[in-house]
Amino acid sequence: MSLDLDKRQRAMLREMGVRVWQPVPTPAALVQAEAEVAHAINNIAVGARPERAAARFDAEKPAATALRVPAAVPLDAAPLARPQGVDRMDWPALQAAVATCRACALCDSRSQTVFGVGPVAAGAAAPQVDWLIVGEAPGENEDLAGEPFVGQAGKLLDNMLLAMGLQRNQGEAPPQAGLSRSIFITNVLKCRPPANRNPDPAEVAQCEPYLQRQVELLQPKMILALGKFAAQSLLQGSVPDVQKIPLGKLRGQVFSYLGVPVVVSYHPAYLLRSLGDKAKAWDDLCLALDTLKRPA
């Protein structure tokens, strides 16, 4: 039962100590908002397209609170192109292709590409080497210097090479007595991943043709793969599920890449953190040396 009391009657009840409930008037703004919501629900219920209702709702909101959704990238957007004919390039053309490559997003964050270092090639011919050392990817120091394996990991690699009677090319300086410069050093990736993160499989796939062509032109007698990603890139065509095999289980064996023997070992950066595995790395170097000395 509802009471419709005038002001005088309500005053009398207050004097008697009787509290009378009175509904609070609904603000006009709330009434308007409820009406808009009801109208939108009705539009959807009778078949109005939700995107049109959403567009109208967004347009009617104040500019400061309107939602801005970034445009979606087309699913058929063309990927960045790698230079054509990598498998037919000579040494200077291959160097130029790597230097200007934009086949993956790493080109946007690099300082420069890291092609590799070794004996200086004469004319259009690639240097002929006995050894090819393959690492994983340039780090910060390599990105700045444009040369693979610099910094502390590079010093450790140099000591490993010296133990095998090898010395990396150092410009015009003559090699030390008894040391050979028949060596080329490179990486699977030619650009540094941001923050030195692990190489992405798509990035490895884009760079693999460059490494393959380097092997074809250099014609090394032995490849030493340093690190998990170097081993996986070189052995993916000959070792089933190589991505699932720990590096430790790939050691102590001689594999093949394009007909060249491959020995797998730890990356120098890993050895700096795990000093106890340096003895295992020396065993790997001895295996590579023994393999190289065997008659073909």
Side-chain angles (χ1 to χ4, degrees), residues 118-122 125 127 169 171-172:
V120 178
N169 181 60
E172 299 300 326

Side-chain angles (χ1 to χ4, degrees), residues 7-287:
K7 292 183 178 180
R8 184 179 63 83
Q9 291 171 325
R10 292 180 183 281
M12 291 176 59
L13 290 174
R14 280 198 299 270
E15 292 295 330
M16 296 170 59
V18 178
R19 301 181 63 182
V20 180
W21 175 83
Q22 182 179 4
V24 179
T26 303
L30 181 58
V31 173
Q32 177 65 23
E34 291 177 347
E36 290 183 358
V37 172
H39 178 69
I41 294 174
N42 181 66
N43 283 345
I44 295 175
V46 299
R49 296 183 63 183
E51 60 269 23
R52 291 182 179 175
R56 183 179 67 85
F57 179 69
D58 187 67
E60 291 175 354
K61 287 192 299 182
T65 60
L67 181 62
R68 295 290 177 262
V69 180
V73 177
L75 295 178
D76 57 349
L80 297 172
R82 184 175 59 239
Q84 298 295 316
V86 172
D87 59 335
R88 301 184 300 275
M89 290 181 178
D90 60 18
W91 193 250
L94 186 63
Q95 286 180 299
V98 169
T100 58
C101 181
R102 300 189 61 82
C104 72
L106 294 183
C107 65
D108 295 325
S109 59
R110 73 191 181 206
S111 297
Q112 58 187 316
T113 59
V114 181
F115 182 77
V117 62
V120 178
Q128 299 300 299
V129 298
D130 291 335
W131 292 83
L132 175 62
I133 311 297
V134 181
E136 299 182 334
E140 181 179 9
N141 294 326
E142 289 81 2
D143 179 66
L144 295 174
E147 181 175 332
F149 288 99
V150 299
Q152 293 302 313
K155 292 179 181 179
L156 178 55
L157 176 62
D158 287 343
N159 290 334
M160 295 166 63
L161 296 177
L162 288 174
M164 294 191 294
L166 300 172
Q167 180 186 9
R168 80 163 75 196
N169 181 60
Q170 296 177 336
E172 299 300 326
Q176 298 181 28
L179 298 180
S180 171
R181 283 192 178 172
S182 185
I183 176 177
F184 193 86
I185 307 172
T186 189
N187 285 306
V188 172
L189 292 191
K190 310 307 182 187
C191 299
R192 177 200 177 196
N196 292 354
R197 62 163 172 77
N198 289 333
D200 183 83
E203 296 162 354
V204 173
Q206 289 289 4
C207 257
E208 198 276 335
Y210 296 133
L211 177 60
Q212 178 176 335
R213 188 57 179 162
Q214 284 180 313
V215 175
E216 292 171 344
L217 293 173
L218 292 169
Q219 299 180 12
K221 298 177 182 177
M222 170 60 64
I223 298 176
L224 188 61
L226 301 180
K228 176 178 66 175
F229 294 97
Q232 290 177 354
S233 180
L234 291 168
L235 303 181
Q236 61 182 337
S238 57
V239 179
D241 297 325
V242 67
Q243 287 79 8
K244 300 179 182 179
I245 303 177
L247 181 67
K249 293 187 176 181
L250 294 173
R251 294 181 51 254
Q253 307 176 63
V254 179
F255 301 97
S256 178
Y257 179 78
L258 298 180
V260 182
V262 177
V263 170
V264 174
S265 190
Y266 297 110
H267 194 282
Y270 166 81
L271 294 175
L272 290 175
R273 304 188 302 268
S274 305
L275 300 181
D277 285 331
K278 283 187 176 181
K280 296 179 181 178
W282 174 244
D283 291 339
D284 300 332
L285 301 184
C286 291
L287 174 60

